[in-house]
């Protein structure tokens, strides 16, 4: 009797020890990216969806006047559904003088006529919802347009608007008798962030254009108005918001403080020449985000994503909040953009580090996201190479987390050359004809390339707001639908694949990382195991994945999909390939399933 008790106790201890060992091995070799125990029905929509950024001026022009519009976007609902995206984020469509193409809002609850009217918007939401697509709005709280009635009234000191903006007296006057700004703060778009207003006899602050005065979030009425605006759109049925420029929301109260100069900077007008300790990332920002979160949570299942640029992980992660004080569902993960600016910075090792940086710093219970491009940076295919288009889509669509795709990146659109004369972007214009190309955001904002007809099928008007990329004859949606293999087809397949439970629930591990090779594995007990392999070098390689691996891998695997650059007869989807001699073309990505016996 005693003996059998002892044996039972011994077995229990053994089992417990084995369980503990397994858990600790798992957490040391894998990066937690998901909450495996989450029930599918409880999972918010944005965790299982791809987010697609639609830049409204450039999707489709149905009105037609050369600039895209809401009816145009609605007309693409089937395309978006077939693409497999679940959320469409619309860059600003509000009434605006368009000095910063909609990021300068003159009425937060009206649609700009260039995009259509409120009926067009309601129709868009209704049609998207019918097709199972969510609609997320851009929300620009940091600044309005100088044409907004709040600003006009603030200039005239009409209550309650007197303190709606950040006003300051001059520091003095210069030799010519002109007023001197209160401090050295700079605008993101170059030059002083202070603009003199003759009528009010004070300077006002603008982090961006002088026609985008900063709202004063220290004024409670401003915060209340912003809540009302969010409520207006939530009541209309939108599914969430992307918050613009959130790190710029507050400045220190003491407007006499100068920001420290970055040592060695030569251009005193360049935003990068100062260290922005008094004008970005102030702690007062978080309670404001919290108020928005609380408001959104009064509605079922709403998404809040935040535009935060920072090279400090701790700072970035603060925007998630924590389990008891949730803030944004996520701050955008721009690390793939910031850290991997060009091909020479992109290696298996640098990609592993960059991916790990987000996953390893993620607060408990929070969700990752991956961004390859947006309307503020060059297109990913131009930054790092066309040959990597499929591979990078495999990475962002198959890693744990939510991918964000900028329109056109599913077909591998490239930056378009825009002459100085055609340049529209204020950021480009401010740098002048000699330097605009380094700063203009126009090249990545050109019309979507739908087909090979005039203006790429974007419009029937006689011109377009930005030129269409001349490569549209061959690089377009219609051609990629017809082609046997294409970026678009790979993207669609990936969108289907990522819905499999293993991608939704499993952990990720990185078995082989070298200078050339990046791999990751998604595995969940009793599910098929997937291995994604990317060759980041600019030459074909034959790689031995059984060497230098941190995990035991089988001898062979089956190809699920491969980049379109690979036309080999030996690595076609469905084929078995040897993992000790895996051939990959330059920039190729390959998705494999592993045989169960290792
Ligand atoms: C954000 C937008 C950018 C805009 C700026 C000012 O960074 O993404 O396009 O110019 O805010 O609103």
């Amino acid at each position: 009797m005693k003996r059998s008790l002892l044996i039972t106790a011994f077995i229990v201890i053994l089992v417990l020890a084995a369980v503990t060992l397994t858990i600790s091995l798992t957490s040391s070799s894998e990066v937690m990216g998901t909450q495996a125990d989450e029930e599918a029905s409880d999972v918010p929509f944005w965790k299982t969806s791809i987010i697609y950024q639609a830049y409204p001026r450039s999707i489709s022009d149905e009105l037609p006047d050369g600039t895209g519009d809401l009816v145009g976007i609605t007309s693409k609902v089937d395309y978006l559904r077939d693409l497999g995206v679940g959320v469409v984020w619309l860059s600003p469509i509000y009434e605006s003088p368009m000095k910063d193409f909609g990021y300068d809002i003159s009425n937060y609850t009206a649609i700009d006529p260039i995009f259509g009217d409120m009926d067009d918007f309601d129709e868009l939401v209704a049609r998207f919802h019918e097709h199972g697509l969510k609609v997320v709005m851009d929300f620009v709280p940091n600044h309005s347009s100088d044409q907004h009635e709040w600003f006009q009234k603030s200039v005239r000191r009409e209550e309650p608007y007197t303190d709606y903006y950040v006003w300051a007296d001059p520091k003095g006057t210069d030799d010519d008798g002109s007023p001197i700004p209160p401090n050295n703060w700079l605008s993101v778009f170059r030059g002083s962030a202070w603009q003199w207003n003759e009528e009010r006899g004070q300077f006002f602050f603008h982090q961006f254009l002088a026609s985008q005065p900063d709202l004063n979030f220290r004024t409670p009425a401003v915060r209340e108005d912003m809540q009302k605006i969010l409520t207006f759109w939530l009541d209309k049925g939108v599914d969430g918001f992307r918050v613009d420029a959130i790190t710029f929301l507050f400045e220190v109260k003491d407007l006499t403080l100068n920001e420290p100069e970055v040592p060695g900077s030569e251009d005193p007008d360049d935003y990068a020449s100062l260290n922005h300790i008094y004008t970005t990332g102030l702690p007062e920002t978080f309670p404001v985000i919290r108020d928005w979160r609380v408001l959104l949570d009064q509605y079922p299942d709403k998404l809040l994503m935040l535009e935060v640029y920072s090279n400090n992980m701790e700072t970035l992660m603060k925007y998630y909040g924590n389990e008891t004080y949730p803030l944004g569902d996520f701050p955008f993960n721009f690390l793939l953009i910031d850290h991997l600016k060009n091909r020479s910075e992109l290696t298996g090792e640098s990609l592993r580090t960059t991916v790990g940086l987000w996953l390893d710093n993620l607060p408990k219970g929070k969700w990752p996201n991956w961004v390859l491009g947006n309307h503020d940076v060059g297109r990913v295919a131009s930054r790092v190479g066309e040959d990597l288009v499929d591979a990078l889509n495999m990475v962002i669509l198959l890693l744990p987390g939510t991918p964000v795709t900028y329109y056109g990146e599913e077909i591998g659109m490239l930056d378009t050359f825009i002459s100085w004369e055609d340049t529209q972007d204020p950021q480009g214009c401010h740098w002048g004809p000699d330097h605009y190309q380094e700063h203009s955001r126009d090249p990545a904002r050109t019309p979507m390339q739908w087909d090979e007809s005039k203006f790429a099928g974007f419009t029937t008007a006689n011109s377009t707001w930005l030129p269409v990329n001349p490569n549209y004859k061959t690089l377009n949606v219609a051609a990629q639908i017809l082609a046997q293999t294409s970026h678009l087809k790979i993207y669609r397949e990936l969108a289907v694949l990522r819905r499999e439970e293993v991608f939704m629930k499993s952990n990720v591990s990185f078995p082989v990382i070298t200078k050339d090779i990046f791999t990751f594995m998604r595995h969940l007990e009793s599910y098929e195991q997937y291995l994604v392999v990317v060759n980041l070098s600019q030459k074909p390689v034959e790689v031995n994945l059984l060497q230098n691996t941190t995990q035991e891998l089988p001898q062979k695997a089956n190809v699920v999909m491969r980049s379109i650059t690979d036309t080999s007869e030996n690595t076609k989807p469905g084929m078995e390939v040897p993992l000790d001699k895996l051939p990959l073309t330059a920039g190729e990505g390959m998705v494999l399933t592993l045989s169960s016996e290792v």
Side-chain angles (χ1 to χ4, degrees):
M1 186 69 174
K2 257 189 184 168
R3 198 163 160 236
S4 69
L5 255 183
L6 263 180
I7 292 171
T8 317
F10 184 64
I11 291 173
V12 169
I13 288 167
L14 267 186
V15 169
L16 279 178
V19 168
T20 318
L21 185 69
T22 315
I23 290 172
S24 65
L25 274 180
T26 308
S27 49
S28 64
S29 63
E30 294 174 347
V31 177
M32 283 299 294
T34 62
Q35 294 154 302
D37 52 355
E38 234 162 0
E39 285 302 317
S41 56
D42 295 339
V43 178
F45 70 86
W46 50 269
K47 285 193 177 176
T48 53
S49 311
I50 300 171
I51 296 172
Y52 188 85
Q53 182 187 356
Y55 195 67
R57 300 180 77 82
S58 290
I59 302 299
S60 179
D61 179 26
E62 290 285 317
L63 288 182
D65 55 3
T67 301
D69 45 58
L70 292 175
V71 180
I73 298 174
T74 308
S75 74
K76 299 301 178 190
V77 66
D78 289 338
Y79 170 77
L80 294 165
R81 188 207 42 213
D82 293 349
L83 189 58
V85 303
V87 180
V88 177
W89 147 33
L90 301 174
S91 287
I93 50 169
Y94 314 100
E95 197 182 278
S96 161
M98 299 289 165
K99 295 281 167 14
D100 190 18
F101 297 107
Y103 286 96
D104 49 325
I105 299 171
S106 51
N107 185 341
Y108 285 84
T109 52
I111 303 292
D112 193 275
I114 206 159
F115 297 124
D117 59 23
M118 200 55 93
D119 288 344
D120 297 335
F121 177 78
D122 291 338
E123 171 70 10
L124 182 150
V125 174
R127 293 265 282 125
F128 274 44
H129 283 173
E130 254 167 51
H131 285 72
L133 293 166
K134 305 282 185 181
V135 180
V136 165
M137 306 286 280
D138 221 303
F139 174 52
V140 190
N142 177 66
H143 46 269
S144 72
S145 158
D146 61 351
Q147 302 303 305
H148 198 295
E149 66 161 334
W150 296 339
F151 187 72
Q152 317 267 318
K153 291 183 173 168
S154 195
V155 167
R156 298 193 293 266
R157 296 180 196 259
E158 271 179 44
E159 289 305 344
Y161 302 103
T162 310
D163 294 327
Y164 257 48
Y165 294 84
V166 182
W167 293 99
D169 291 329
K171 196 160 77 177
T173 44
D174 64 15
D175 296 346
D176 306 336
S178 307
I180 303 172
N183 60 37
N184 70 344
W185 299 351
L186 290 169
S187 144
V188 173
F189 293 146
R190 275 184 80 72
S192 175
W194 293 99
Q195 176 76 19
W196 178 250
N197 182 277
E198 198 57 52
E199 192 179 342
R200 176 149 163 160
Q202 277 189 308
F203 282 99
F204 67 86
F205 178 63
H206 58 94
Q207 300 256 27
F208 296 91
L209 295 173
S211 51
Q212 293 170 298
D214 264 51
L215 283 153
N216 183 359
F217 269 77
R218 297 192 188 279
T219 300
V222 169
R223 296 206 294 273
E224 281 157 28
D225 269 337
M226 286 300 163
Q227 293 271 22
K228 284 186 200 146
I229 289 161
L230 291 174
T231 307
F232 173 87
W233 293 105
L234 287 166
D235 288 344
K236 277 200 153 291
V238 307
D239 302 290
F241 301 93
R242 171 265 187 192
V243 185
D244 182 74
I246 186 70
T247 50
F248 299 93
L249 214 58
F250 281 90
E251 305 71 41
V252 286
K253 279 190 195 155
D254 183 350
L255 301 179
T256 63
L257 292 173
N258 282 329
E259 287 191 328
E261 281 167 29
V262 172
S265 47
E266 279 160 17
D267 178 356
D269 280 339
D270 186 355
Y271 184 70
S273 69
L274 296 181
N275 198 348
H276 304 285
I277 54 172
Y278 298 137
T279 53
T280 58
L282 265 66
E284 290 91 324
T285 316
F286 300 105
V288 175
I289 303 174
R290 178 69 193 153
D291 286 348
W292 298 337
R293 171 86 272 162
V294 169
L295 174 66
L296 262 65
D297 287 349
Q298 290 166 20
Y299 296 77
D301 215 8
K302 299 294 171 200
L303 168 64
L304 188 65
M305 40 190 198
L306 308 171
E307 187 201 27
V308 184
Y309 282 93
S310 169
N311 45 22
N312 181 308
M313 291 312 295
E314 205 184 318
T315 304
L316 280 171
M317 295 300 152
K318 279 191 188 151
Y319 290 83
Y320 274 108
N322 57 42
E323 282 180 311
T324 51
Y325 190 80
L327 296 172
D329 289 309
F330 51 77
F332 282 122
N333 173 358
F334 295 129
L335 297 183
L336 294 174
I337 296 174
D338 283 351
H339 289 200
L340 312 167
K341 291 206 170 59
N342 50 51
R343 186 61 163 266
S344 60
E345 288 183 6
L346 192 49
T347 63
E349 288 135 358
S350 69
L351 187 52
R352 169 69 184 94
T353 308
T354 304
V355 166
L357 214 48
W358 199 270
L359 294 178
D360 298 343
N361 284 291
L362 206 59
K364 187 161 174 273
K366 298 296 176 183
W367 188 255
N369 72 95
W370 311 101
V371 186
L372 284 178
N374 60 36
H375 63 296
D376 292 329
V377 292
R379 288 202 172 268
V380 62
S382 295
R383 293 199 316 266
V384 298
E386 280 180 89
D387 55 345
L388 275 168
V389 166
D390 299 323
L392 291 179
N393 280 334
M394 288 172 191
V395 170
I396 66 162
L397 267 70
L398 299 183
L399 278 174
T402 298
V404 185
T405 291
Y406 182 50
Y407 84 94
E409 310 231 305
E410 71 276 25
I411 57 168
M413 269 173 68
L414 289 162
D415 281 343
T416 304
F417 168 77
I418 312 282
S419 68
W420 170 245
E421 290 69 35
D422 281 341
T423 294
Q424 308 273 343
D425 176 27
Q427 179 162 281
C429 294
H430 279 195
W431 280 89
D434 293 339
H435 292 285
Y436 81 97
Q437 288 196 55
E438 295 143 53
H439 301 274
S440 173
R441 299 169 296 180
D442 290 336
R445 296 177 175 182
T446 59
M448 179 70 180
Q449 294 163 210
W450 293 106
D451 58 40
E452 58 168 18
S453 67
K454 196 170 177 209
F455 297 129
F458 165 74
T459 185
T460 52
N462 294 326
S463 60
T464 53
W465 81 283
L466 278 176
V468 174
N469 194 311
N471 67 14
Y472 77 93
K473 288 261 178 208
T474 50
L475 202 171
N476 63 61
V477 169
Q480 295 201 13
I481 288 174
L482 282 180
Q484 195 149 30
T485 61
S486 67
H487 298 314
L488 182 63
K489 285 193 167 166
I490 296 278
Y491 193 97
R492 286 179 174 178
E493 267 181 63
L494 285 168
V496 172
L497 185 62
R498 75 185 299 280
R499 285 192 209 122
E500 283 191 19
E501 229 157 330
V502 62
F503 289 107
M504 288 299 131
K505 291 188 167 174
S506 76
N507 283 308
V508 61
S509 59
F510 303 90
V512 182
I513 300 293
T514 66
K515 183 166 182 292
D516 290 346
I517 300 297
F518 174 76
T519 65
F520 65 95
M521 219 164 122
R522 301 298 308 270
H523 46 103
L524 193 63
E525 218 180 284
S526 69
Y527 285 90
E528 194 129 48
Q529 300 184 50
Y530 283 88
L531 177 68
V532 180
V533 186
V534 179
N535 171 18
L536 291 150
S537 75
Q538 286 172 284
K539 54 181 191 325
V541 293
E542 191 175 82
V543 42
N544 182 353
L545 295 178
L546 303 183
Q547 237 173 31
N548 302 322
T549 170
T550 53
Q551 255 164 276
E552 217 176 325
L553 295 172
Q555 293 289 327
K556 295 199 161 74
N558 288 301
V559 179
V560 179
M561 62 178 97
R562 58 181 184 172
S563 291
I564 62 169
T565 49
D566 187 347
T567 53
S568 155
E569 287 298 314
N570 303 324
T571 56
K572 288 187 180 163
M575 281 186 157
E576 197 176 59
V577 289
L579 288 188
D580 60 345
K581 268 188 190 169
L582 185 69
L584 296 161
T585 59
E588 175 170 7
M590 201 181 265
V591 181
L592 303 154
T593 45
L594 302 184
S595 356
S596 41
E597 77 289 347
V598 170

